[in-house]
Amino acid sequence: MRPRFLHQTLLEYADISSRFCPWARVFFHLKRSQVKSRWKAPRALALRWIRVVMPRVVNNTPYNDEKYTGSLRKKTSEILAFLDVFTPQSCPSGL
């Protein structure tokens, strides 16, 4: 059984981040175009945020959007092809 409050919180954070954060918006739209289920894209984005944020929590370092975008550029992620289409805004750094 999953912890429902935490699950819902992560889904809501993923939804809000897809509105304000360019790479999260691109990731969400790419996943949404790939899957048929309505909930798989937000879950995938929430999992991506967990993978981004948890090392920051463990090491007690703040999230840096420019640093993460730079790491995406080093890895030549598929997100980069669509990243420049969206207007840059700051990502929510609530976690």
Side-chain angles (χ1 to χ4, degrees), residues 45-61:
L45 182 57
L47 180 63
R48 176 64 66 102
W49 270 113
I50 290 170
R51 290 180 178 163
V52 169
V53 171
M54 279 311 292
R56 307 296 165 268
V57 171
V58 169
N59 296 331
N60 197 20
T61 58

Side-chain angles (χ1 to χ4, degrees), residues 43-78:
R43 285 179 186 158
L45 182 57
L47 180 63
R48 176 64 66 102
W49 270 113
I50 290 170
R51 290 180 178 163
V52 169
V53 171
M54 279 311 292
R56 307 296 165 268
V57 171
V58 169
N59 296 331
N60 197 20
T61 58
Y63 170 74
N64 186 349
D65 189 41
E66 290 82 21
K67 186 175 180 180
Y68 183 68
T69 306
S71 71
L72 288 177
R73 291 189 196 287
K74 285 181 190 175
K75 297 176 185 177
T76 61
S77 174
E78 63 181 11

Side-chain angles (χ1 to χ4, degrees), residues 24-35:
R25 184 180 304 164
V26 171
F27 183 84
F28 178 81
H29 287 295
L30 284 174
K31 288 296 179 184
R32 186 75 173 115
S33 67
Q34 293 172 356
V35 297

